[in-house]
């Protein structure tokens, strides 16, 4: 059994402030399409997009699933939604909730490259660099965190906890 930590690892206010500064870095880059990875990045991507709003900025979702219902990656990655993606010749910002082993983003980036965009950059809310198994650096990182399993602000454990406005750590409950 797991339970949430007694206080958030990152508060809603800290997230909002970091989003403002992140958007200030990202907006001048003039991306054509934001590509969020569902489901984990849905809140982050929505909050970020509102801050880099421009008339011609498009948003196109894809889904990459690897986790199943556990805190350990299964190592299997399925990518869906590619058939609707129109990114040829465009400047893409790939957005994910958390960069952990790096397997997901490196595989998704390779897959998107095959669609012929002019440029792909990556943005993650959280970076757990201690867990990396493949070399991968995101171009934009919200927060670097320790090697703990986190939930909230879009991130789930077995589909639960996604709706919290803060980031929490999940701890084993021996009680
Ligand atoms: P990677 O392929 O980099 O190991 O894992 C990336 C994906 O694993 C993320 O998009 C996320 O779905 C999931 N993940 C990795 N660490 C965590 C974590 O601490 N909490 C949650 N909820 N998901 C995680
Ligand atoms: Mg994910």
């Amino acid at each position: 059994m797991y339970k949430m930590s007694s206080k958030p690892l990152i508060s809603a206010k800290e997230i909002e402030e970091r989003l403002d500064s992140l958007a200030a870095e990202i907006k001048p880059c003039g991306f054509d399409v934001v590509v969020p990875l569902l489901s984990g990045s849905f809140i982050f991507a929505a909050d970020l997009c509102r801050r880099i709003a421009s008339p011609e900025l498009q948003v196109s979702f894809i889904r990459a699933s690897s986790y199943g219902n556990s805190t350990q990656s299964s190592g299997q990655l399925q990518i869906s939604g590619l058939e609707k993606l129109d990114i040829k010749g465009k400047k893409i910002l790939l957005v994910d909730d958390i960069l952990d082993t790096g397997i997901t983003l490196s595989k998704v980036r390779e897959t998107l490259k095959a669609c012929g965009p002019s440029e792909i950059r990556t943005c993650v809310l959280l970076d757990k660099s201690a867990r990396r198994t493949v070399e991968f650096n995101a171009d934009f990182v919200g927060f670097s965190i320790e090697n703990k399993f986190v939930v909230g602000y879009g991130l789930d454990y077995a589909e639960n906890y996604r709706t919290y406005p803060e980031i929490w750590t999940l701890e084993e409950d021996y009680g």
Side-chain angles (χ1 to χ4, degrees):
M1 282 294 288
Y2 290 93
K3 66 173 170 56
M4 283 163 69
S5 46
S6 54
K7 67 178 179 60
L9 179 68
I10 308 172
S11 71
K13 185 164 177 284
E14 287 171 311
I15 295 172
E16 278 173 28
E17 287 172 0
R18 183 64 185 115
L19 277 168
D20 288 341
S21 57
L22 208 50
E25 281 179 61
I26 292 171
K27 185 160 173 137
C29 300
F31 289 102
D32 299 309
V33 191
V34 175
V35 180
L37 290 189
L38 292 173
S39 300
S41 74
F42 83 111
I43 295 180
F44 174 46
D47 284 350
L48 186 66
C49 284
R50 273 181 278 204
R51 286 168 166 87
I52 58 173
S54 84
E56 286 161 8
L57 179 63
Q58 300 181 354
V59 185
S60 198
F61 296 93
I62 58 175
R63 181 179 293 274
S65 359
S66 70
Y67 256 62
N69 285 352
S70 86
T71 56
Q72 290 299 308
S73 178
S74 66
Q76 303 265 333
L77 193 74
Q78 283 195 323
I79 305 173
S80 55
L82 292 170
E83 61 291 342
K84 287 190 194 143
L85 210 58
D86 176 19
I87 59 172
K88 198 170 166 55
K90 293 179 180 169
K91 202 170 163 177
I92 304 308
L93 183 66
L94 177 59
V95 175
D96 203 5
D97 50 2
I98 181 164
L99 180 53
D100 188 27
T101 63
I103 293 169
T104 304
L105 273 179
S106 57
K107 282 193 182 158
V108 171
R109 187 172 62 183
E110 283 316 301
T111 305
L112 293 190
K113 265 187 194 163
C115 303
S118 64
E119 188 181 335
I120 303 181
R121 300 237 246 155
T122 53
C123 175
V124 294
L125 176 67
L126 304 171
D127 184 359
K128 273 202 277 196
S129 55
R131 292 248 312 161
R132 210 76 92 248
T133 58
V134 298
E135 203 181 316
F136 195 97
N137 292 309
D139 298 293
F140 305 96
V141 173
F143 301 91
S144 295
I145 62 165
E146 282 178 59
N147 182 15
K148 290 191 172 149
F149 193 81
V150 291
V151 293
Y153 198 70
L155 291 104
D156 74 309
Y157 172 64
E159 296 301 326
N160 295 332
Y161 304 103
R162 280 195 206 281
T163 51
Y164 282 97
E166 313 84 11
I167 303 282
W168 299 78
T169 53
L170 218 54
E171 296 161 352
E172 277 192 74
D173 183 4
Y174 301 104

